[in-house]
Amino acid sequence: MSEQDDAALTAAEELALARLALDSGELEHAAGHVAGALAQAPTLPEVHETLARLAAVGDGGVELFPLNHHAFVGSVVARAHLLAAAGRPAEGLDLLAAATGHSPGVDWAGVPWVTAPELAERLDPDRIARILMQICAAVPDPVPPSGRAALGPYLALARNAVTVRPDHGLLLGAASALARRIGETELAVRWATRGVRAQPSKLGEVWLGYAHRSAGRTREALAALTRAVEHDPDDLAVYADIAGTLADNGRLDEALRWIDHALERDPAFDCAVHTAHRLRFARDGDVAHLVALTDFVRDHPDDTHEHTDLAESCRSRPWLGQLTPAGGTLVQVIRQAVHDRPAARGERLRLVAPEPPSALRTLAAAVPELTVESATDVPGPDPRQPRRSGTRQLWAYQADTVAPAIPPPSEEAVRRIRQVATPAWPHPPAAYDAAVGLATLDLPDLLGLLVHPPDPPATALGRVLNSQDPSLWVRCVQVWACLGLLHHRTDEPWDTSVRRAVLVDLLWGVEDWTTEAALFALVTAAWVDPQVRPDVARMTAERLADVAEVGRERPVPIATSLAYLALATPELDRQMVETAYLLIGGRPRRPGRLRRFWYRLTGRPLS
């Protein structure tokens, strides 16, 4: 199904052209414009009046709206209405359901013939149940409030149908599933309960369990789902549903027992495997479970349906699903400055310890009137010097200033980084895939982005980041530039590749936000390629050990972030895991500030 080709015409203009074509006897031309009007205003009475005129002179008009491989959605809806008018409402309803699957938020079915009680009397209840299940499969669960009105006509059809056939178990269950999705939980419970009484079945108990769960009745939900297992002990998806319900209510040990039962029956059943890894990660926080899930997904591309366990586990977690806010004194000054706090706009700031060069540059751009005096007495290793010799130089220091040591990136590189850079991602493999758009950038461009981050894009996200904390946007650019490095010359063997050599240089360069970005790229490489995991785990352990040692002599602003990165590293030595927890100061907690920015921007949780 396709969208309208000519979106420039309004519904009124389409109707005017359709009427002119009708007056001229050009029925196919008129049909095209009626379809265009329907696509934009599917419930407008004038559109349906014009469609009726077309049907009257066009032998019913059905054949004027043929179905083909790329049928236009307006033509599909027009055909549906004409089929209903021709006495074939079941076929018409099938087409409206297909249109709803194509664009669930559009009120395709908001017409009298769909909600008329007599339609339910004419149609076979099994056919109605299948249509309701088709609608349920096409919409989110639950449907956001903004999208529920468009499904109201289908709920009216369900009401009419269960009135006519009050003891049809399949119909009652499908109606319950639709009601539950659009927030009618009590109605969903009543219908599902009647369905189970009329016709006990596994599917009916599953629908009842879901309805109780949506209504907040956990005990009743678990009882129904357990009865579903008794109906069919081989349906392992129900085991996963029970486990998920138990876990959502803090009963993790019971949940894992159910998953273990499922895996005993089929160790490769995708729903059980996904749920098992998610729950085990929730129990102990060991990233090995999520890495194993990543491997399973890669090795089983033909799962029964799309799963969200990996993304749910990584959501809002440092580096697994989002970058961490920067640490250090200057970041606090930057945040104060953008909020117009007078204390942040003093004339002179004296540092007691060197700060990352990226922080200095970000402060200079955000608060140009502020003079920064560098620390003169630096205990321990100087953070302005690379931690290993021979690494490439991104920055040039001179007195109290720092400047990029490499040229700025091209305009094309700036355009592309603005398209992909974001502070959140579903999980590391998804971030790797999203960075493929940077694959054709040259190495100088990718390095130039690290030290010459462009202004944020003129989007809602860009405005929020710039107004709340400019350092977040700079870190976004650096993270995605390093992810772009992972796609540089991928034909080269990892051990001797340019991409590895450059990232290692950045990892052991001066203490900077680019250190964190480089390590995240290396960690991401380990997630997507099992063969590089030992190498990345070794590098992570060495860099973390170095940070811990330096941290005994002076503060290391990037220490906490590197510790979180270590916890995200596959196959990291257990001793280094404990070192990471020590640097963090305990079990990792989800940072809230970035999550609040994202929710303010999108109205939904960070993904």
Side-chain angles (χ1 to χ4, degrees):
M1 207 174 293
S2 65
E3 300 291 346
Q4 187 175 14
D5 292 331
D6 185 1
L9 297 178
T10 66
E13 290 168 336
E14 294 278 18
L15 284 178
L17 293 173
R19 290 163 183 153
L20 287 174
L22 270 171
D23 292 341
S24 302
E26 301 175 17
L27 299 188
E28 291 186 359
H29 191 188
H33 288 296
V34 169
L38 266 174
Q40 296 185 66
T43 61
L44 187 68
E46 291 86 345
V47 177
H48 291 271
E49 291 170 5
T50 306
L51 182 63
R53 281 187 58 195
L54 183 63
V57 299
D59 194 22
V62 172
E63 298 310 316
L64 291 171
F65 300 93
L67 298 180
N68 50 50
H69 187 60
H70 294 291
F72 171 46
V73 65
S75 297
V76 172
V77 174
R79 185 181 179 92
H81 294 316
L82 294 176
L83 285 170
R88 297 154 63 184
E91 295 175 62
L93 202 55
D94 283 336
L95 292 181
L96 287 185
T100 296
H102 174 69
S103 303
V106 180
D107 189 9
W108 302 115
V111 289
W113 71 266
V114 174
T115 57
E118 54 266 28
L119 178 64
E121 297 173 357
R122 297 172 58 188
L123 295 184
D124 178 73
D126 286 336
R127 184 75 169 266
I128 298 177
R130 287 196 297 272
I131 289 171
L132 295 180
M133 287 189 281
Q134 181 180 346
I135 298 299
C136 289
V139 300
D141 185 9
V143 175
S146 60
R148 294 176 181 177
L151 303 178
Y154 296 111
L155 184 63
L157 171 64
R159 289 182 187 274
N160 294 333
V162 299
T163 300
V164 174
R165 298 297 298 269
D167 297 322
H168 195 285
L170 184 65
L171 174 62
L172 285 161
S176 170
L178 177 62
R180 175 173 56 81
R181 279 170 169 79
I182 59 179
E184 296 283 349
T185 53
E186 292 302 325
L187 181 61
V189 170
R190 290 200 301 271
W191 279 346
T193 301
R194 285 170 52 186
V196 167
R197 288 174 181 169
Q199 186 179 350
S201 67
K202 177 198 71 176
L203 187 55
E205 294 287 8
V206 169
W207 276 325
L208 179 57
Y210 289 169
H212 278 307
R213 188 170 63 185
S214 294
R217 299 166 184 159
T218 303
R219 181 169 58 85
E220 291 87 347
L222 290 170
L225 293 173
T226 302
R227 291 193 297 269
V229 171
E230 294 170 356
H231 278 285
D232 183 3
D234 293 325
D235 188 346
L236 303 184
V238 183
Y239 291 63
D241 286 333
I242 293 173
T245 303
L246 287 165
D248 289 343
N249 288 273
R251 298 160 64 178
L252 199 53
D253 290 339
E254 294 177 74
L256 285 167
R257 283 197 293 271
W258 273 96
I259 282 300
D260 288 339
H261 290 326
L263 293 175
E264 287 170 4
R265 289 176 171 268
D266 183 357
F269 180 63
D270 56 338
C271 290
V273 172
H274 281 255
T275 303
H277 287 306
R278 174 171 59 86
L279 297 185
R280 288 169 184 158
F281 176 73
R283 178 186 58 188
D284 59 28
D286 189 341
V287 76
H289 302 304
L290 302 186
V291 175
L293 179 53
T294 299
D295 293 344
F296 181 85
V297 172
R298 183 185 60 251
D299 297 338
H300 297 79
D302 300 322
D303 282 354
T304 57
H305 60 88
E306 184 179 357
H307 296 85
T308 61
D309 299 85
L310 183 58
E312 288 176 14
S313 298
C314 292
R315 181 179 295 126
S316 299
R317 292 183 179 270
W319 292 115
L320 293 178
Q322 66 177 58
L323 59 81
T324 65
T329 301
L330 291 189
V331 175
Q332 297 300 325
V333 175
I334 294 168
R335 292 168 186 160
Q336 290 174 349
V338 297
H339 287 88
D340 291 323
R341 296 176 184 170
R345 294 188 177 273
E347 296 182 355
R348 188 171 298 275
L349 174 67
R350 181 173 179 79
L351 298 177
V352 297
E355 289 276 331
S358 291
L360 289 165
R361 295 285 295 177
T362 304
L363 177 66
V367 197
E369 67 271 26
L370 183 64
T371 300
V372 177
E373 294 182 1
S374 298
T376 56
D377 185 15
V378 181
D382 191 337
R384 294 165 293 193
Q385 296 296 321
R387 295 301 298 138
R388 286 186 177 176
S389 60
T391 60
R392 68 186 65 233
Q393 300 297 308
L394 296 182
W395 305 101
Y397 284 93
Q398 185 175 9
D400 290 330
T401 64
V402 62
I406 53 179
S410 66
E411 292 184 3
E412 175 63 14
V414 168
R415 184 184 69 82
R416 292 204 203 172
I417 202 71
R418 283 175 171 158
Q419 289 177 335
V420 302
T422 174
W425 42 86
H427 43 73
Y432 174 83
D433 292 340
V436 72
L438 306 173
T440 57
L441 292 183
D442 293 333
L443 182 59
D445 270 343
L446 292 169
L447 294 176
L449 288 168
L450 295 175
V451 294
H452 297 280
D455 292 335
T459 61
L461 174 61
R463 288 190 292 272
V464 167
L465 294 179
N466 197 45
S467 64
Q468 297 291 334
D469 185 351
S471 70
L472 282 174
W473 170 248
V474 173
R475 290 167 69 75
C476 283
V477 172
Q478 293 171 334
V479 162
W480 287 90
C482 285
L483 288 172
L485 283 168
L486 286 182
H487 293 276
H488 183 70
R489 297 186 186 177
T490 53
D491 57 318
E492 297 177 341
W494 172 256
D495 289 343
T496 58
S497 65
V498 170
R499 61 189 185 281
R500 179 188 182 278
V502 172
L503 289 170
V504 171
D505 271 0
L506 299 176
L507 180 66
W508 290 101
V510 301
E511 285 180 12
D512 188 37
W513 299 346
T514 54
T515 310
E516 304 167 55
L519 184 54
F520 175 65
L522 290 167
V523 170
T524 300
W527 275 66
V528 299
D529 185 356
Q531 294 185 351
V532 311
R533 286 173 189 168
D535 182 42
V536 172
R538 177 186 55 79
M539 287 190 283
T540 302
E542 291 177 357
R543 192 66 183 89
L544 190 66
D546 182 77
V547 165
E549 181 179 351
V550 173
R552 296 189 186 99
E553 302 183 55
R554 60 167 172 79
V556 181
I558 63 174
T560 300
S561 181
L562 291 184
Y564 278 116
L565 281 163
L567 294 175
T569 303
E571 300 182 5
L572 188 67
D573 179 81
R574 291 305 307 175
Q575 182 178 351
M576 297 314 300
V577 170
E578 295 306 318
T579 299
Y581 280 130
L582 288 173
L583 289 173
I584 290 171
R587 288 282 167 175
R589 294 174 296 176
R590 297 185 178 187
R593 196 170 56 80
L594 179 58
R595 202 163 61 224
R596 290 194 295 271
F597 289 171
W598 187 263
Y599 189 82
R600 187 181 310 155
L601 172 66
T602 65
R604 57 185 174 82
L606 238 166
S607 61

